Amino acid sequence: MDLENQLAARLQASGAQFRVVGIDKIARLKAVVAANQQAQAGSTAYNRYADTSYDFAVVDNPAIRSVFITATPSPIYVLRLADGRALRIPPIYGNRAKVVAASQALTQAVFEPAGYRTWPVFLPKKLTAAHCGLASYGNNGLTYIKGWGSYFRLTMFASDYAAESEAPWQSPEL
């Protein structure tokens, strides 16, 4: 079984999905993000909400050949207050460290025995997921996966593994 099929089997067993993106696509994404940042620079929304700390240095590292993006189901959290009220907390505020550690352990378990490395990277996850067909955008700017809605967590890992089959790159769907 090839490495990508091994990873798919392990992720599916945990309820997760993934796509492989070639580093050339991340370079294209870097240009899109830079253009968007330049167009919005100085606006109140940009100054307050823009995340400009993406780790696009991965595109200049000749050892990195692909990026894996994983989506793991993430339930809503309910916080019970002492007075009996229940607060519903969106899943994005929950299990980040646990999901990243589990996804990293899975990718390492598959690729390291074959001589490849993987490590977490900070890139625009929602935009990447939308471009590679893992997720679609909603009118509200959230990303959705069919059957999951918005209840999932995205993680990304760079690798020196050259993908055998990359996800198709497309315009993000609404």
Side-chain angles (χ1 to χ4, degrees), residues 24-49:
D24 60 315
K25 307 290 190 317
I26 301 300
R28 288 168 50 189
L29 198 63
K30 176 182 179 181
V32 168
V33 169
N36 287 343
Q37 289 173 342
Q38 185 175 6
Q40 297 176 23
S43 72
T44 303
Y46 177 83
N47 290 339
R48 189 168 192 181
Y49 300 111

Side-chain angles (χ1 to χ4, degrees), residues 24 61 110 114 130:
D24 60 315
N61 183 338
V110 170

Side-chain angles (χ1 to χ4, degrees), residues 117-140:
R117 296 173 296 149
T118 64
W119 52 93
V121 290
F122 185 68
L123 295 167
K125 293 177 262 195
K126 291 190 324 181
L127 187 58
T128 303
H131 272 290
C132 71
L134 180 60
S136 299
Y137 275 108
N139 288 329
N140 56 5

